[in-house]
Structures are given as structure tokens and as C-alpha cells.
Amino acid sequence: MLTRVLPILCFSLLSACAGMDGGRGIPAPVEDRSGAGAPVQGQSTTTPVPAQPATPPAARTNPARSVVPGIDDLPPRTVTPGLPGQPAPAPLEPAPAPMPMPGMPATAEEALLLEVDAALAAGDMERAAAVAERAVRIAPRDANLWFRLASIRARQGRSDEAAGIARRAQSFAAPESPVARQIDEFLRTLP
Amino acid sequence: MNPSTRRAQPPSSLPRASQGFAWFWSLLGLAVLAFAAWCVKIDYEIRRDFEALQWELPARIYARPLEIYAGAHVSTARLTDQLRRLGYRESSELRNPGEFQASGNRVSLWTRGFEFWDGAEPSLYVNVEFEGNRIREMWGDQRTGMVPLVRLEPAEIALINPGNGEDRVPISLEDVPPDLVEAIIAVEDQRFYSHFGVDPIGILRALVANLRAGEIVQGGSTLTQQLVKNLYLNREQTLRRKAEEALMALALELHFSKDEILTAYLNEVFLGQQGNRAIHGFALAAEFYFSRSLDELSLDELALLAGLPRGASYYNPMRFPERAVERRNVVLARMLSQGYISAPDHEDARNATLRVNARAPRQNAGYPAFMELVRQDLARDYDAEALRTEGLRIFTTVDLHVQSTMEATLEEAVKAVERPVSEGKLEAAVVITDAVTGEVRAVAGGRQRGYAGFNRALNAVRPIGSLVKPAVYLAALESGRFTLASVLSDRPVTLQSRGSPAWSPSNYDDKIFGDVYLHDALERSMNLATVDLGMQVGLDKVGEMLGRLGFEREVPQFPSMLLGSVDMAPVEVAQLYQTLAGNGFRSPLRTVEAVTTPTGEPLERYGIETEQVVDAASMYLLEYALQGVFERGTAQTARNRLDASLPLAGKTGTTNDLRDSWFAGYGDDLVGVVWLGNDDNSDTGLTGATGALRVWTDIMRDLDIQPRLTIPPANVVWQRVALGPVRDGAQRDCRLTNSLPFLPGRLPDPAVNCEDEGSLMDRFFNRFGDL
């Protein structure tokens, strides 16, 4: 008899004394890793259909991990340069691989420069700088890429760094080339 | 004591029966109150602890990710090596992320995607076609077409562990494969979704099963109870604790949802041990046992993991594969009998071969020398506590291809130069950086692979010998008073400076070269000519040049400094040569690129910095001589072995009594500094050329170092000078000349200039005059 009454008594007491915050407890800390494979523009329903394997690899993937190969690593702006912030256009028509897609970047540098544009358009200067540096690592003697990085630093108000990087850009530019003149002008106007 | 019970204390006149009754009630009341208080305390404790449940997460350190794109200097072997290192599975059909297929010149892979500092890298299917050591082109599928660029996930190279040694990768419930959850419920707690924290039916069932079997085959504790037990693992297991745990389980169920409890269980449970590192939670266990992420595992692999909480050591699949498979099959059988899987699925999984890692991936043992540099860099912005507990992701600059190639070559190369043969005493240090950005790509603190003791790359502060000479010559060229064709005096000299004994330097082998050209003196590392030059330029100017090149400590202002009686660690030397390789642009050496939170939120970024400290023209003249070191000077012996990579620039260094053997050199892509010496500072029997240069050459050859393609600044002019240096124009001999770079206004001295002697007639008379 007592053994049946006690727990009930006990827990009614417990509930009465519950006074920590009333609401539901904060769940255990968890890391949301779904972002790792998440697409940029929320096209999470797209199913990957690689062309190469004999059977399409669509079988046992976790639905929480949306796998969108290809175009999603590029900002939507890729197809409409000059219109930052525009939503992504309709999905591209399938094209026979390996042909470059119209409007798609053909080289790593181009792809990264488009990503720099996207970050700038989103006002994320430091991300833009990070992506520009990624491009510089891929093509370390490209004056244009260094110059791009310099102008981002200038926009961030980091003039000293901008000057150093712009001079480095100049050292890679062909003398008297348009980019060399732009860099000269840039260095002159730097505060 | 309760006043009411005290009042109820029976006077002695009352009947005995009623007196006993009162005692009973008062005791009962006390017991109930005490028990209630206990319950409240436990309830409070478990809620406090569970709500504040903040796992201490170790900082994870990542290597530089491999970038693949058309034109990238990446071979098939390098890509597949990297994929294997990342735990990708070779498979004939790509069905999941984390798989690849290699045949001939083509590798097809499905990347996993990763949250980088600068954004998410998507999971992507891509075909890579190679041509020699480069990538020819890349394309995806019908939708993606050509793929310009793919960044693989970075390899994890180290952890900075919390004090308790616990390691985990937290995961949320929706990212856990349903098969795993079902397997766990089937085998550990089949009434999980219907009980209230403890499961009397489960206990009974377990009791019956155990009695029948005559041994313990089933446990009766629920997942909730197991979670509580895990959360308070260090407490002793007494009967009182067991009761407390049951109460805590009830309290947990009262205040938290099943999903919250299940999530905590999936992340908390202990699943393995590696040295003093405890593997907690299923996400980390998947990486630990299979080198793959949880969502890449098949049913049989998930079932294997689900069987581990019962006894992670006993069922350890790496040590006891039979036991682990047996346990896995028990889990699968339960899943079948409870209707979670079909008979064919069960059959397939049951017959699947166990494919776990042969041994656990190495942690913290891989790159201790590089990690020490990382810790030094991080210490500026993060305290030790934050690094041990906040689960920071630290993206470093180390390139595992460069690091492992260097390590693999180093040991053999050091053995090959050691005299007496293979005594094993000769030590080494290597620093390799990116020639453009200053990012550190590889470090070795000793000759042995993965050596974790005294880190000579950072801490062996030794005289640098002739490695200092480029600073002397650069200061001279920059001053405008000297050209590559200036004539220096390589003759014995005794210098007296304040407060120090007279100093009489000599050349290696005690040779005396007499009048020599400046470029020749550097290329062949002549000591007396360098002292002559340095004293003309001024010790202060040389010291200042070292500072501009990136040496941060005080330089002693003694003439012996001109020959390298300046002590530096290899990593400091690397900074100097970094600036030379950067054509006069100094970029501070860096090991950390960015830091993010565990979920990829950007925290800190350390970007490329660069500052011009020497003008391009002076740098170009200096580099002419540093390339001449390979071409005509002290590094000539390496020419044959480096043929495809030439031209390269560099300098040998040897210190008194052959105590230190140095070489520092660079191509277009990499800068490398090699030091060899004995820890007791004794004679190594090696010069820079016979020791460090040979090690450097072996390493750089394996790394396929790229030739220097430095473009001459627009104002540089080439002029012919007489082959033999003379101070008197009357002795000039222009029959044999050598073309050298000069700057307008800083042309060769008329005494050696053969440029104006353009006509044949002039040369004829000139020759005539000499007779």
C-alpha cells in the first residue's frame, strides 16, 4: 500500500515544487550539421543524378542531408551579373557534359570572382576577402585577383593593408597595362 | 522536528496501543517528508544538470583542404591518397557521398560537402580527368556540366582535448539515420516510447530471460536510466545511487521530451577508447571505427554501433571482430523480430563482412611540430580553456601532401648525409612555406617522422652562418653605391671593434680570392669579400635590413654578424627567405587561416598580409646572384638532381667547426629551410652544401618545386662586363664578357664595363693595348 502511495506523493510534490523556469528544458546542445551539405538557395528537394555511374546514385541518402551537386555552389547572380541580390533564375536546362554551361564560370578564378561579388552584394566584406584570397592561392601571380583583394580591404577601411596588397598586385601587372594604371590610380586615391 | 508531532507526544497516562499508533504516524510522517525532500533535491539536480548540459568539446584542427580545378598541379595519386585519408571508399558504383572510383586517367568522386569559414561547400558529384601531374578538366552530371572548382573536406589533424579526455561530435536527432535509432531501441529499450523512465515490464522480461539463460543476457534499464548513469559516470554504484538514478530517470521523463532524451543519449553514450581519449556519441564513433560519417553507414554498420553501448571495450570491433559481429547479429535479429527491417534486409546485413578501420585514426600524434606553431599563433587570441572546451574549428595552413612528402624524404635523406654513417645522432629541422602568401605548409622538428620531442624548427636557435649574407648584399645593392659588378676585396683583414677582441675572419678552406665581383662573392659565399662589403655598407644598415626582412629580435652590432654570428631558429630564417621569395614583399608566416564555432559560424580570420619592404629592382639584382648560387656557386652540386625545376634561388650556410649545416632556398611556389646539427653542438662534419643542401634537394625534388620565373622590372638593363674583375680600367679585358642586370644610374664601373666597347675595332685596340 505504502509503496504505491509514496511515489505518487513524491511526484505530486515534485511537480508542485517545480520552479526553475516553467518552460521546457533547453534540449541537450546539438550541432546542426545539416548545413554542411545544404544547398545555397534552399533547393533541398533536388535529387542528385550523376550521369557517369551506370545506376543513378539516388538510393540510400539521408533525407536530412540534401545533396545538390553542381550549380548550387555558385551564387545565383552568376547568370545575371550586374544585378546583385536577384533571386536565382529558373533551373538551367540539362546540357550534355562536358560542355561549359552558358553564363557559367569556366575557370576556378571566374567562379571565385562571382562568389566575391555575391559576398560583396550581401555586404559581407570579410567573406569577400576570404574568397578573394582563395582565388589568389589558386592563381598567385594574377594582378587582377590581388587588386580585387586590395579594393575589398580599402572598402573595409583597412587602408594600410590595402596599400600593401595593391603594391603586390602592381608587381604582377604588366607595365603600362590597363590594370597597372588602375592600380596606380587606386594607390593615389587611397587615404 | 515538526512542532505538531512534538505536541502529539503522548503523555504516559494514555493507553499503550494508542501510544504506539502515534509513534508510528509520526515516524511515517517524518519518513515521507524526508523522502519528499530527497525527491525534490534529485529532481532539482537532474533538471539543473540536464538543462545546463554543455559538453566540453575539444577544438578540432584541420589541414588545408585540397582544391581541385582544371590546371591544378594535382596527380591521380595525390587525389586518391587524399580521398583515402578522408575515409572515402573506393566503389564501382557511386551511390553516396564519400565514395570514389579511379580508373586510368580519370577519378570520379562524390564529395561530402563541408561548412568552411567562407561558406558551405556543397556535396557534389564530379569526374576529374588528369593529364600527367595536372588536372585536365572536370565535369559533373547533365545538370551541372563543367565544374570549375571543388574543395574537398579538410582532414582533421589534431584535437585539443578537454581535461576529462571526452571527445564527441554532437549531432541532432534529424541527422541520425532512422535505422540507427531503431536498432538502439530494438536492442536496448524496446518500450522506450511508452515507458515513463523506468520500465517494470522490461525489467521483468529481462529477469525471465536471464533466469532462462542462466546468465545475464538482457539488461532491464531504459535508455533514460542509461543516460543518467552516463551523465554521472564517476559516481560509485551503490544501491542508493541506483535508486537515485531511477528517480532521476523518472524526473527526466517528467520534464523533457523523448526526443530530447534520445538526442542526449545518442551524444552522451561511451562507445570507445583510444589512449586517454574517450569516444562519446554515435557521430564520432562512426568516424572512429569507419572513418566515415554516420549517414554514410549501411544497416550492418549501424547495427554494429548500436551494439556497442552494452560494452564498448568487450565488443570493440577493431580488437574483437568476432564478438562485435556476433553482437551486431543479435541487434539485427531484434530489429527483424520487432518488425523494423525485412527478412531480406536482415539477411543481407547479417552476411555483410565487417569493414572497420584496422586501427583508430591517429590523433594528436601526427604533426606535433606544426601543432606547436599553431598553438603559439592561437595563444594570441584564445585562452587554453576556450580551446579545450568550446569545440572551435581551427583551419590551418598545413598541406598534408607537402608535410607527408617532406617527412617521408627527410629521414632517408638525413641518414644518407650523416657522417659517421647512420650513427643516428645528427638532427634536423625543416620549415616549408608558401612562397607567395607566407602560409606554413610543413614543419619537422626532428629527423624522425612525427617526432614530438624538442621542436628544433622553433626552438633550436643557432648561428645562421652564411644564410645572413643576402641581407648584407641586399643592403649594399639598395644603397645605390654597389652593383653586381662592384669589385670587392677578398683578402685577410683584422677588425677591432669596441669591447670585443680583434677579429680575423677567414674563408672556408682558408682560400684567398683577391679582387672579386660582388655577385661572385655571394654565389661562392666568400667570407672576406662579404666582410669588406659589409663594413663599407655599415653594420647598422645590415641589421636594419634583417629587421625589414622579418627578423624581430635585436641584431648584435659586431662585424662577425656579417658572417652569421646571429642566432635564429629555422622558422625565423624561413621568414627572412619568405620575404626574398616574395620579391621584397614581407608576409608574416601564418599557420592559422580561420576559426569557426562548432557549427561553422565565423569567429576569426587571419588574412593574407603583405608589405613591400625592399624595392623590386634591388630584389631582382639580389636574386640574380641567389640563382647564381645554383648556377655557378655553392649549390652547383644540386643542379643535376633539380634539373627540371631550375632556375631556383637559395643560399648555403655553414657555421664554425661545422656545427650547423643550413640551406634556405625557394622556387616560385615554395620556400624551404633545412637545418642539420647535433643537439650537443658538436662537429657534424657537414657544410651547408654537403649536408642541408642535399636534404633540401631530395625534399624539393619530391615536391616538384616550381622554377623561379621572376619577371625583370621594367627599368633593368643588361650590360656586359669583363669576365675578370679589375680596379684599374687599363687592365680591363673585354675579350670574355659576362652579361649582368643593372639599373640605369647604377651602371657598371668603367673599369670593368665592356658595353661601350661595342665595335670590333675598339675591342681589337683594347686587346692590343693589353699586350
PDB file of all heavy atoms in Angstrom, chain B residues 655-671:
ATOM      1  N   THR B 655      78.433  26.868 -40.144  1.00  0.00           N
ATOM      2  CA  THR B 655      78.968  27.653 -39.034  1.00  0.00           C
ATOM      3  C   THR B 655      80.297  27.078 -38.568  1.00  0.00           C
ATOM      4  O   THR B 655      80.711  26.002 -39.012  1.00  0.00           O
ATOM      5  CB  THR B 655      77.979  27.728 -37.849  1.00  0.00           C
ATOM      6  OG1 THR B 655      77.717  26.404 -37.399  1.00  0.00           O
ATOM      7  CG2 THR B 655      76.686  28.384 -38.270  1.00  0.00           C
ATOM      8  N   ASN B 656      80.947  27.816 -37.684  1.00  0.00           N
ATOM      9  CA  ASN B 656      82.283  27.449 -37.200  1.00  0.00           C
ATOM     10  C   ASN B 656      82.359  25.985 -36.799  1.00  0.00           C
ATOM     11  O   ASN B 656      81.457  25.472 -36.144  1.00  0.00           O
ATOM     12  CB  ASN B 656      82.656  28.305 -35.979  1.00  0.00           C
ATOM     13  CG  ASN B 656      82.858  29.739 -36.396  1.00  0.00           C
ATOM     14  OD1 ASN B 656      82.992  30.038 -37.592  1.00  0.00           O
ATOM     15  ND2 ASN B 656      82.863  30.646 -35.427  1.00  0.00           N
ATOM     16  N   ASP B 657      83.453  25.355 -37.147  1.00  0.00           N
ATOM     17  CA  ASP B 657      83.705  23.954 -36.796  1.00  0.00           C
ATOM     18  C   ASP B 657      82.601  23.025 -37.303  1.00  0.00           C
ATOM     19  O   ASP B 657      82.358  21.976 -36.715  1.00  0.00           O
ATOM     20  CB  ASP B 657      83.857  23.781 -35.281  1.00  0.00           C
ATOM     21  CG  ASP B 657      84.907  24.727 -34.728  1.00  0.00           C
ATOM     22  OD1 ASP B 657      85.881  25.000 -35.454  1.00  0.00           O
ATOM     23  OD2 ASP B 657      84.716  25.217 -33.599  1.00  0.00           O
ATOM     24  N   LEU B 658      81.929  23.428 -38.361  1.00  0.00           N
ATOM     25  CA  LEU B 658      80.901  22.591 -38.988  1.00  0.00           C
ATOM     26  C   LEU B 658      79.821  22.150 -37.996  1.00  0.00           C
ATOM     27  O   LEU B 658      79.373  21.016 -38.016  1.00  0.00           O
ATOM     28  CB  LEU B 658      81.537  21.358 -39.647  1.00  0.00           C
ATOM     29  CG  LEU B 658      82.686  21.623 -40.618  1.00  0.00           C
ATOM     30  CD1 LEU B 658      83.206  20.300 -41.173  1.00  0.00           C
ATOM     31  CD2 LEU B 658      82.243  22.521 -41.763  1.00  0.00           C
ATOM     32  N   ARG B 659      79.431  23.076 -37.118  1.00  0.00           N
ATOM     33  CA  ARG B 659      78.409  22.707 -36.125  1.00  0.00           C
ATOM     34  C   ARG B 659      77.013  22.700 -36.719  1.00  0.00           C
ATOM     35  O   ARG B 659      76.165  21.930 -36.302  1.00  0.00           O
ATOM     36  CB  ARG B 659      78.444  23.693 -34.960  1.00  0.00           C
ATOM     37  CG  ARG B 659      79.654  23.503 -34.092  1.00  0.00           C
ATOM     38  CD  ARG B 659      79.511  24.328 -32.828  1.00  0.00           C
ATOM     39  NE  ARG B 659      80.710  24.236 -32.045  1.00  0.00           N
ATOM     40  CZ  ARG B 659      81.433  25.289 -31.675  1.00  0.00           C
ATOM     41  NH1 ARG B 659      81.059  26.498 -32.011  1.00  0.00           N
ATOM     42  NH2 ARG B 659      82.509  25.130 -30.949  1.00  0.00           N
ATOM     43  N   ASP B 660      76.790  23.621 -37.655  1.00  0.00           N
ATOM     44  CA  ASP B 660      75.454  23.720 -38.244  1.00  0.00           C
ATOM     45  C   ASP B 660      75.568  23.697 -39.753  1.00  0.00           C
ATOM     46  O   ASP B 660      76.439  24.356 -40.316  1.00  0.00           O
ATOM     47  CB  ASP B 660      74.774  25.033 -37.843  1.00  0.00           C
ATOM     48  CG  ASP B 660      74.749  25.245 -36.348  1.00  0.00           C
ATOM     49  OD1 ASP B 660      73.798  24.789 -35.712  1.00  0.00           O
ATOM     50  OD2 ASP B 660      75.720  25.853 -35.826  1.00  0.00           O
ATOM     51  N   SER B 661      74.697  22.934 -40.370  1.00  0.00           N
ATOM     52  CA  SER B 661      74.631  22.871 -41.822  1.00  0.00           C
ATOM     53  C   SER B 661      73.256  23.369 -42.239  1.00  0.00           C
ATOM     54  O   SER B 661      72.236  22.811 -41.848  1.00  0.00           O
ATOM     55  CB  SER B 661      74.849  21.415 -42.256  1.00  0.00           C
ATOM     56  OG  SER B 661      74.461  21.227 -43.594  1.00  0.00           O
ATOM     57  N   TRP B 662      73.247  24.477 -42.993  1.00  0.00           N
ATOM     58  CA  TRP B 662      71.975  25.122 -43.362  1.00  0.00           C
ATOM     59  C   TRP B 662      71.798  25.152 -44.875  1.00  0.00           C
ATOM     60  O   TRP B 662      72.773  25.293 -45.609  1.00  0.00           O
ATOM     61  CB  TRP B 662      71.965  26.580 -42.920  1.00  0.00           C
ATOM     62  CG  TRP B 662      71.877  26.930 -41.479  1.00  0.00           C
ATOM     63  CD1 TRP B 662      72.917  27.191 -40.649  1.00  0.00           C
ATOM     64  CD2 TRP B 662      70.686  27.142 -40.712  1.00  0.00           C
ATOM     65  NE1 TRP B 662      72.448  27.549 -39.411  1.00  0.00           N
ATOM     66  CE2 TRP B 662      71.088  27.524 -39.418  1.00  0.00           C
ATOM     67  CE3 TRP B 662      69.304  27.029 -40.996  1.00  0.00           C
ATOM     68  CZ2 TRP B 662      70.171  27.806 -38.400  1.00  0.00           C
ATOM     69  CZ3 TRP B 662      68.404  27.316 -39.986  1.00  0.00           C
ATOM     70  CH2 TRP B 662      68.834  27.695 -38.702  1.00  0.00           C
ATOM     71  N   PHE B 663      70.565  25.095 -45.305  1.00  0.00           N
ATOM     72  CA  PHE B 663      70.252  25.561 -46.647  1.00  0.00           C
ATOM     73  C   PHE B 663      68.866  26.189 -46.649  1.00  0.00           C
ATOM     74  O   PHE B 663      67.923  25.636 -46.069  1.00  0.00           O
ATOM     75  CB  PHE B 663      70.305  24.447 -47.698  1.00  0.00           C
ATOM     76  CG  PHE B 663      70.243  25.008 -49.095  1.00  0.00           C
ATOM     77  CD1 PHE B 663      71.362  25.561 -49.695  1.00  0.00           C
ATOM     78  CD2 PHE B 663      69.031  25.033 -49.797  1.00  0.00           C
ATOM     79  CE1 PHE B 663      71.298  26.123 -50.971  1.00  0.00           C
ATOM     80  CE2 PHE B 663      68.957  25.602 -51.072  1.00  0.00           C
ATOM     81  CZ  PHE B 663      70.102  26.142 -51.653  1.00  0.00           C
ATOM     82  N   ALA B 664      68.773  27.353 -47.293  1.00  0.00           N
ATOM     83  CA  ALA B 664      67.475  28.007 -47.458  1.00  0.00           C
ATOM     84  C   ALA B 664      67.325  28.322 -48.935  1.00  0.00           C
ATOM     85  O   ALA B 664      68.255  28.866 -49.539  1.00  0.00           O
ATOM     86  CB  ALA B 664      67.398  29.283 -46.634  1.00  0.00           C
ATOM     87  N   GLY B 665      66.214  27.935 -49.512  1.00  0.00           N
ATOM     88  CA  GLY B 665      66.043  28.196 -50.938  1.00  0.00           C
ATOM     89  C   GLY B 665      64.581  28.228 -51.322  1.00  0.00           C
ATOM     90  O   GLY B 665      63.710  27.832 -50.550  1.00  0.00           O
ATOM     91  N   TYR B 666      64.340  28.740 -52.535  1.00  0.00           N
ATOM     92  CA  TYR B 666      62.955  28.873 -52.969  1.00  0.00           C
ATOM     93  C   TYR B 666      62.793  28.795 -54.469  1.00  0.00           C
ATOM     94  O   TYR B 666      63.706  29.094 -55.228  1.00  0.00           O
ATOM     95  CB  TYR B 666      62.348  30.186 -52.453  1.00  0.00           C
ATOM     96  CG  TYR B 666      63.190  31.423 -52.686  1.00  0.00           C
ATOM     97  CD1 TYR B 666      63.008  32.207 -53.825  1.00  0.00           C
ATOM     98  CD2 TYR B 666      64.157  31.807 -51.765  1.00  0.00           C
ATOM     99  CE1 TYR B 666      63.772  33.347 -54.037  1.00  0.00           C
ATOM    100  CE2 TYR B 666      64.936  32.937 -51.974  1.00  0.00           C
ATOM    101  CZ  TYR B 666      64.739  33.705 -53.112  1.00  0.00           C
ATOM    102  OH  TYR B 666      65.508  34.823 -53.314  1.00  0.00           O
ATOM    103  N   GLY B 667      61.597  28.326 -54.839  1.00  0.00           N
ATOM    104  CA  GLY B 667      61.166  28.362 -56.220  1.00  0.00           C
ATOM    105  C   GLY B 667      59.990  29.315 -56.313  1.00  0.00           C
ATOM    106  O   GLY B 667      59.831  30.182 -55.461  1.00  0.00           O
ATOM    107  N   ASP B 668      59.151  29.147 -57.339  1.00  0.00           N
ATOM    108  CA  ASP B 668      58.010  30.047 -57.486  1.00  0.00           C
ATOM    109  C   ASP B 668      56.902  29.735 -56.489  1.00  0.00           C
ATOM    110  O   ASP B 668      56.101  30.586 -56.158  1.00  0.00           O
ATOM    111  CB  ASP B 668      57.448  29.938 -58.913  1.00  0.00           C
ATOM    112  CG  ASP B 668      57.632  31.250 -59.662  1.00  0.00           C
ATOM    113  OD1 ASP B 668      58.317  32.136 -59.120  1.00  0.00           O
ATOM    114  OD2 ASP B 668      57.089  31.378 -60.768  1.00  0.00           O
ATOM    115  N   ASP B 669      56.840  28.471 -56.045  1.00  0.00           N
ATOM    116  CA  ASP B 669      55.726  28.072 -55.187  1.00  0.00           C
ATOM    117  C   ASP B 669      56.096  27.864 -53.724  1.00  0.00           C
ATOM    118  O   ASP B 669      55.279  28.114 -52.848  1.00  0.00           O
ATOM    119  CB  ASP B 669      55.080  26.786 -55.735  1.00  0.00           C
ATOM    120  CG  ASP B 669      56.095  25.674 -55.966  1.00  0.00           C
ATOM    121  OD1 ASP B 669      57.308  25.962 -55.968  1.00  0.00           O
ATOM    122  OD2 ASP B 669      55.677  24.520 -56.147  1.00  0.00           O
ATOM    123  N   LEU B 670      57.302  27.388 -53.460  1.00  0.00           N
ATOM    124  CA  LEU B 670      57.640  27.023 -52.086  1.00  0.00           C
ATOM    125  C   LEU B 670      58.953  27.645 -51.637  1.00  0.00           C
ATOM    126  O   LEU B 670      59.854  27.882 -52.440  1.00  0.00           O
ATOM    127  CB  LEU B 670      57.756  25.497 -51.968  1.00  0.00           C
ATOM    128  CG  LEU B 670      56.498  24.667 -52.233  1.00  0.00           C
ATOM    129  CD1 LEU B 670      56.839  23.189 -52.223  1.00  0.00           C
ATOM    130  CD2 LEU B 670      55.406  24.978 -51.211  1.00  0.00           C
ATOM    131  N   VAL B 671      59.025  27.888 -50.326  1.00  0.00           N
ATOM    132  CA  VAL B 671      60.271  28.275 -49.675  1.00  0.00           C
ATOM    133  C   VAL B 671      60.609  27.151 -48.706  1.00  0.00           C
ATOM    134  O   VAL B 671      59.729  26.666 -47.997  1.00  0.00           O
ATOM    135  CB  VAL B 671      60.101  29.582 -48.858  1.00  0.00           C
ATOM    136  CG1 VAL B 671      61.411  29.952 -48.156  1.00  0.00           C
ATOM    137  CG2 VAL B 671      59.622  30.711 -49.741  1.00  0.00           C
TER     138      VAL B 671
END
